[in-house]
Amino acid sequence: MISNINQIGILTGGGDCPGLNAVIRAIAKTAIMGYGLEVIGFIDGFKGLVENRYIQLDLRKVSGISHTGGTVLGTSNRDNPFKYFTVSEGNVQHSDESDRAISNMHHLGLDGLIVIGGDGSLNIANQFQEKGVNVVGVPKTIDNDLSGTDVTFGFNTAVNTASEALDRLHTTAESHHRVMVLEVMGRYTGWIALHAGISGGADVILIPEIPYKIDEIIKKISERYRQGKNFSIIVVAEGALPEHGEIVIRNLVSTSHDPIRLGGIGNKVAEDIGERLKNIEIRVTVLGHLQRGGSPIPYDRILSTRYGVAAVEAFMDGKFGTMVSLQGREITTVPINDAIKDIRKVEPDSALVKAARSVGVNFGD
Ligand code: F6P
């Protein structure tokens, strides 16, 4: 254990995610009660670090928050200190404000930073590490697309929400003999679609890792009708795409360091089916940010707590430049570099995809 650590900073970066508050609570409680440290929480992610906006986290401030959604510190998925945007007379300008952020940390007397974030925020954290800041990361994202860990916190809550939505869509699909399409998040990976689809009994699951052919989907729906099953449930990941086709982009956020926002593939799938099966009614639901909001399920409260405790322990052990990670049943640490190298994707030949196929799920291939 390193003995001259007195004060750490923490921030939540990127899109919010169920379980953030449980991590904040676990970090603050472990740091204060276990090691006698002071804890500073920066407001609105890296924006607060650049603008020197923060609060002192004491035990009272983090009490009773582990079951709550969102983040008590606020977050932002647009503010990168290394490419910091400002808007002047309607024009977006970028500048490197990382030295300003480091000088803020020095003035506060911080011994380092715990960054709770996905690949974007951990990339920024890694750049600070390379500039000499002591950094430890905590893997956050509903998308579950970070390498170096089996699971990110927040993912299972998002799956729970999507699975519940499928249960509700099932009953109305059956009543009206309709095809129901549910578009879920996940960026360039199909983790949420795959898990929610299996859990919610979807007939078709479309994920970016397995480009689909519309003919195969039509075949599956038609076969179900022949069997007397006059409704179908289709789960589409926002990053899914047809074979030889393109991913559907909803909009570009010019101020964001990762400007592409996906969305719209659910409607495309519905239109393409509708053109071919004119006598069948189709409806589309885009689940959107409901997947990010609300209380974390118990699994995520526990995982977040374990991650928060482990992050402080890693910091005190001087394991800088690492991210806490779940491997099997154990929490360990991996270099942040390994976690951000590649997006972790669903393996098309994985046991879970095979299990889904065994129970009749069609992947449109
Ligand atoms: O990474 C989390 C996530 O919710 C993705 O699943 C989604 O594509 C994106 O963020 C949405 O971003 P925003 O909140 O900027 O619309």
Side-chain angles (χ1 to χ4, degrees):
M1 187 177 105
I2 298 182
S3 55
N4 55 351
I5 291 173
N6 300 309
Q7 189 170 219
I8 55 171
I10 67 173
L11 63 82
T12 53
D16 70 343
C17 175
L20 283 166
N21 287 334
V23 180
I24 294 168
R25 171 180 174 270
I27 290 173
K29 287 201 167 195
T30 308
I32 296 167
M33 298 193 305
Y35 297 97
L37 306 182
E38 301 221 347
V39 184
I40 295 291
F42 288 99
I43 305 296
D44 299 337
F46 287 106
K47 192 173 172 60
L49 184 60
V50 170
E51 296 176 354
N52 206 27
R53 289 186 294 115
Y54 59 88
I55 52 168
Q56 173 103 33
L57 289 174
D58 55 26
L59 291 176
R60 194 177 317 162
K61 285 209 180 73
V62 298
S63 175
I65 62 170
S66 71
H67 65 291
T68 59
T71 159
V72 291
L73 291 175
T75 190
S76 157
N77 61 2
R78 300 192 302 170
D79 298 282
N80 176 354
F82 292 85
K83 210 176 164 218
Y84 201 66
F85 84 90
T86 43
V87 183
S88 154
E89 293 171 6
N91 296 319
V92 179
Q93 288 164 349
H94 288 101
S95 57
D96 184 347
E97 300 296 332
S98 58
D99 287 338
R100 188 169 143 200
I102 291 174
S103 139
N104 290 339
M105 286 189 260
H106 283 157
H107 278 117
L108 284 165
L110 294 188
D111 295 297
L113 199 59
I114 297 181
V115 173
I116 310 164
D119 64 339
S121 304
L122 292 176
N123 237 303
I124 297 169
N126 208 38
Q127 290 180 64
F128 275 119
Q129 173 73 31
E130 282 164 5
K131 286 191 90 163
V133 178
N134 296 331
V135 169
V136 169
V138 180
K140 167 240 68 164
T141 168
I142 62 162
D143 304 328
N144 203 32
D145 60 354
L146 261 178
S147 295
T149 185
D150 290 353
V151 193
T152 54
F153 76 85
F155 166 65
N156 278 290
T157 301
V159 169
N160 197 63
T161 302
S163 176
E164 257 180 43
L166 285 171
D167 291 349
R168 290 173 194 277
L169 288 175
H170 240 109
T171 60
T172 173
E174 210 163 347
S175 310
H176 285 268
H177 321 308
R178 285 172 169 164
V179 171
M180 290 298 203
V181 177
L182 178 69
E183 181 183 302
V184 297
M185 284 183 164
R187 289 207 307 175
Y188 304 103
T189 66
W191 293 107
I192 298 177
L194 177 63
H195 283 241
I198 293 173
S199 155
D203 306 299
V204 177
I205 301 176
L206 304 178
I207 59 175
E209 294 87 344
I210 307 178
Y212 68 84
K213 300 183 195 84
I214 202 75
D215 285 352
E216 295 302 321
I217 303 172
I218 302 288
K219 262 194 232 164
K220 173 74 181 177
I221 297 170
S222 308
E223 180 193 308
R224 282 177 55 78
Y225 273 88
R226 275 196 303 278
Q227 292 167 347
K229 294 174 182 165
N230 50 13
F231 72 96
S232 293
I233 303 288
I234 303 180
V235 182
V236 190
E238 62 181 355
L241 72 171
E243 207 179 50
H244 313 302
E246 300 284 322
I247 220 157
V248 181
I249 294 174
R250 175 164 46 87
N251 65 314
L252 295 173
V253 183
S254 65
T255 48
S256 173
H257 45 101
D258 181 11
I260 295 176
R261 294 294 178 274
L262 302 177
I265 187 68
N267 282 309
K268 178 177 165 44
V269 168
E271 277 164 26
D272 291 348
I273 297 171
E275 271 173 24
R276 304 278 295 276
L277 299 175
K278 296 225 168 12
N279 55 338
I280 292 180
E281 272 200 288
I282 309 167
R283 295 291 185 269
V284 182
T285 303
V286 179
L287 202 51
H289 292 80
L290 289 173
Q291 291 157 99
R292 294 231 304 257
S295 286
I297 59 170
Y299 176 92
D300 276 326
R301 296 181 200 183
I302 295 165
L303 182 62
S304 298
T305 301
R306 293 180 75 195
Y307 277 157
V309 172
V312 176
E313 283 167 359
F315 200 97
M316 297 310 289
D317 287 342
K319 293 181 178 165
F320 304 125
T322 66
M323 176 189 87
V324 294
S325 128
L326 179 71
Q327 293 188 16
R329 290 170 185 225
E330 303 301 319
I331 303 278
T332 175
T333 53
V334 294
I336 294 181
N337 255 325
D338 289 356
I340 57 179
K341 230 176 9 215
D342 297 305
I343 292 175
R344 194 171 75 94
K345 296 195 164 212
V346 173
E347 288 289 336
D349 291 333
S350 62
L352 195 56
V353 171
K354 284 184 184 151
R357 290 192 197 276
S358 298
V359 295
V361 172
N362 179 293
F363 285 87
D365 59 340

